[in-house]
């Protein structure tokens, strides 16, 4: 196993070496550390917050489970900053209206992708991932707060709007082919009698849900990670 974490002051890696593979990693890390030392980069003898040499006022800390040493005052300031950032985020207005607008614009882009894929390959479900990921990103860019509502709205809106877009694609593909009779009736008959048509419909429908869930899982992970309190992982080791 290897203990690692991305913290407010950088990337920390603490390999726990049990096999030859990790011994090789240790050798590689030693070479990297040696190169950085020769280049004049400071190591554990300086405070990672301010860059000054550690003295008697040093304290042992952990952040995200990674142990290190720093100045007591520097740690106190960093902890206060983390608390203030978390409080600012908590007080941030949801701005769901603007967030939903951004999400819908991202989903509209996914609809365009869906239509193009349908025309070219007849398989367009991948656009669901585009809708959830791009829609979730634009939700935040338009000022929407990173909250569970963002994840749920983008997931439901993507699935609903792409489902409607798929219905229109099926409708116009039949109507433009010049078949006689009702378009909807023709679609239903194709689903009953045409194995290839039915298989294509099922694949698109099933994978619309699958790719929507994939994008939603990423959005949920991103939401939980962003809402995780940094201060909760900052501890003094007394």
């Amino acid at each position: 196993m290897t203990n690692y974490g991305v913290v407010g002051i950088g990337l920390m890696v603490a390999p726990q070496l049990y096999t030859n593979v990790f011994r090789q990693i240790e050798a590689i890390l030693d070479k990297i550390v040696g190169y950085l030392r020769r280049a004049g980069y400071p190591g554990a003898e300086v405070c990672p917050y301010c860059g000054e040499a550690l003295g008697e006022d040093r304290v042992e800390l952990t952040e995200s489970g990674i142990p290190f040493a720093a100045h007591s005052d520097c740690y106190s300031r960093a902890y206060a900053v983390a608390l203030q950032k978390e409080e600012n985020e908590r007080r941030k207005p949801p701005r769901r209206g603007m967030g939903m607008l951004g999400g819908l614009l991202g989903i509209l882009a996914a609809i365009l992708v869906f239509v193009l894929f349908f025309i070219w390959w007849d398989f367009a479900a991948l656009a669901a991932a585009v809708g959830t990921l791009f829609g979730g990103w634009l939700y935040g860019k338009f000022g929407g707060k990173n909250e569970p509502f963002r994840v749920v709205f983008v997931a439901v809106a993507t699935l609903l709007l792409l489902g409607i877009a798929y219905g229109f694609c099926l409708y116009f593909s039949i109507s433009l082919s010049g078949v006689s009779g009702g378009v909807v009736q023709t679609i239903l008959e194709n689903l009953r009698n045409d194995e290839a048509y039915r298989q294509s419909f099922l694949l698109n429908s099933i994978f619309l849900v699958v790719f929507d869930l994939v994008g939603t899982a990423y959005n949920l992970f991103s939401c939980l990670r962003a809402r995780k309190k940094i201060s909760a992982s900052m501890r003094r080791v007394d």
Side-chain angles (χ1 to χ4, degrees):
M1 296 293 293
T2 298
N3 193 13
Y4 68 94
V6 178
V7 298
I9 55 176
L11 172 66
M12 294 186 177
V13 181
Q16 301 170 2
L17 308 175
Y18 298 125
T19 67
N20 289 332
V21 172
F22 286 101
R23 291 191 184 94
Q24 293 174 9
I25 294 176
E26 182 183 29
I28 293 172
L29 290 176
D30 286 341
K31 291 180 181 179
I32 294 174
V33 171
Y35 172 81
L36 293 175
R37 186 180 292 113
R38 290 192 299 273
Y41 291 95
E45 70 278 1
V46 303
C47 174
Y49 293 114
C50 68
E52 299 296 329
L54 291 171
E56 295 182 356
D57 59 342
R58 65 182 286 160
V59 292
E60 299 298 324
L61 314 168
T62 62
E63 184 172 337
S64 298
I66 306 299
F68 63 97
H71 293 133
S72 178
D73 290 342
C74 291
Y75 165 76
S76 298
R77 285 193 295 270
Y79 186 73
V81 169
L83 288 176
Q84 187 60 50
K85 288 177 64 177
E86 291 162 5
E87 180 63 17
N88 293 341
E89 181 63 25
R90 188 184 69 81
R91 293 176 176 271
K92 180 181 176 181
R95 301 192 66 187
R96 289 179 176 175
M98 291 300 298
M100 291 168 67
L101 175 61
L104 289 174
L105 289 177
I107 297 170
L108 286 177
I111 291 175
L112 177 60
V113 172
F114 185 95
V115 172
L116 292 176
F117 280 10
F118 182 85
I119 294 173
W120 292 337
W121 299 307
D122 200 37
F123 180 76
L126 186 62
V130 177
T132 50
L133 296 176
F134 192 42
W137 181 74
L138 285 182
Y139 186 102
K141 286 298 181 180
F142 273 63
K145 190 174 182 178
N146 192 15
E147 58 180 349
F149 177 83
R150 161 183 170 264
V151 179
V152 175
F153 169 76
V154 172
V156 174
T158 298
L159 195 58
L160 177 63
L161 293 179
L162 286 184
I164 294 173
Y166 186 35
F168 276 107
C169 286
L170 293 175
Y171 183 90
F172 284 109
S173 66
I174 295 297
S175 63
L176 294 176
S177 65
V179 298
S180 58
V183 174
V184 176
Q185 183 64 29
T186 303
I187 293 175
L188 295 176
E189 290 179 358
N190 287 342
L191 289 174
R192 285 194 300 266
N193 304 320
D194 190 327
E195 179 65 27
Y197 191 91
R198 181 167 58 250
Q199 184 179 33
S200 175
F201 176 82
L202 290 174
L203 284 175
N204 274 294
S205 300
I206 292 171
F207 279 97
L208 267 178
V209 177
V210 170
F211 285 122
D212 184 85
L213 290 175
V214 169
T216 299
Y218 177 85
N219 285 340
L220 179 60
F221 172 77
S222 176
C223 176
L224 295 176
R225 181 181 59 185
R227 290 166 64 88
K228 183 179 180 181
K229 292 185 177 181
I230 297 176
S231 63
S233 67
M234 301 174 67
R235 293 284 186 273
R236 291 183 60 163
V237 181
D238 297 323

